[in-house]
Every structure is written in C-alpha cells, then in structure tokens.
Amino acid sequence: MQTSKINVFGLLVISIFLFHSGCSLQTRPTLPSLTFALTGNTSPESPFEAISPQFTATLSGINSALPAFIVHMGDFVNGGKSWMNIKQDDTAAQYSDFNRLRNNYSYIWYFVHVELDSGSNSKLFTTYTGKPPYYSANFGTLHLIFL
C-alpha cells in the first residue's frame, strides 16, 4: 500500500510540474503533445523469482502507445537485506533479468530509486540503471527530477 501512495504522489508531482513548466498564469502557450509512460511496483513476488509475465504484457501495451520515454516509479526488483537471507547476487540477478527485458525497447528509461530496488546497497541501482539514486534530466524543454 505504501508503494501505491508513493506512485500516486510521484504522478501528482510530475503532472503539476508538466502543467506549470514554462507557463505563467498570464500566458499559456500551446505545448506540443508528449506521450510518456509511468509504471512501477513491477517487482517479482519473491527475490528468487523471475520477472512477472504481467509486466511483460504491460510493456507490450506501453509499446503500442509509442512513448517518448518511460519512467519506472520504483520497486522493479525485489531486493532485501542480508538478515532476510537475500544476497546481493539474488538482487543482481533480478536487475539482469529486468535489463534484458527493457533492452527489447528502444525508449529512454528513467528510474526512481526506492529501498526495495537495492536493499541496503544503492550501488546496485546505479550499476544496473546507469543512474544515481537521485538525479535530474532534461527532455527537450522539460526538466525532470527523480527523488
């Protein structure tokens, strides 16, 4: 339930940002159309399982919309802590599976880092996504911030 609240909050922040970026209250120019996808909470049920087939189907649906980029709002792997008997190799294997799947799509990917994605090691997130845990990016005239 917590992840759902985070994803809704992230969507709200992005929506507000997109609405107000470059617009004043006095003049609102017509902005070009932009299609992008938001997804999240797609981790396997267990850190020892493969990627959910539902996520593969979701990506196929997203692909048909031809988005300019995809934002994954977190929880794309089921990481954990060593006291849970989840090893770094288990989490790394999930990242590898996720990357094999996402490499089938030529879209720009942005990621939001959450604890489940790396357990206690945010270096895994950076290694497999190529992004630091917190960052910003420009897409055309949009400035996106990922916290």
Side-chain angles (χ1 to χ4, degrees), residues 42-121:
T42 60
S43 65
E45 291 292 318
S46 161
F48 312 108
E49 292 180 8
I51 292 176
S52 164
Q54 288 88 3
F55 183 50
T56 304
T58 299
L59 283 178
S60 293
I62 288 171
N63 190 46
S64 67
L66 300 173
F69 58 87
I70 298 174
V71 178
H72 197 293
M73 301 294 289
D75 290 341
F76 51 94
V77 298
N78 192 339
K81 312 263 192 240
S82 58
W83 62 267
M84 301 166 144
N85 203 25
I86 300 171
K87 298 180 174 73
Q88 184 171 329
D89 290 345
D90 300 323
T91 307
Q94 291 177 74
Y95 272 111
S96 293
D97 288 346
F98 183 84
N99 279 344
R100 273 192 292 280
L101 179 62
R102 81 177 174 112
N103 287 338
N104 292 326
Y105 302 92
S106 60
Y107 305 112
I108 297 169
W109 287 75
Y110 298 111
F111 301 94
V112 175
H113 176 260
V114 298
E115 185 180 12
L116 190 61
D117 292 327
S118 59
S120 58
N121 186 350

Side-chain angles (χ1 to χ4, degrees), residues 2 7 9 16 30 34 40 48 63 73 79 85 87 101 107 117 127 137 140 142 146:
Q2 182 69 14
N7 288 343
F9 177 73
I16 291 170
T30 303
L34 174 67
F48 312 108
N63 190 46
M73 301 294 289
N85 203 25
K87 298 180 174 73
L101 179 62
Y107 305 112
D117 292 327
T127 298
L142 295 177
F146 302 96

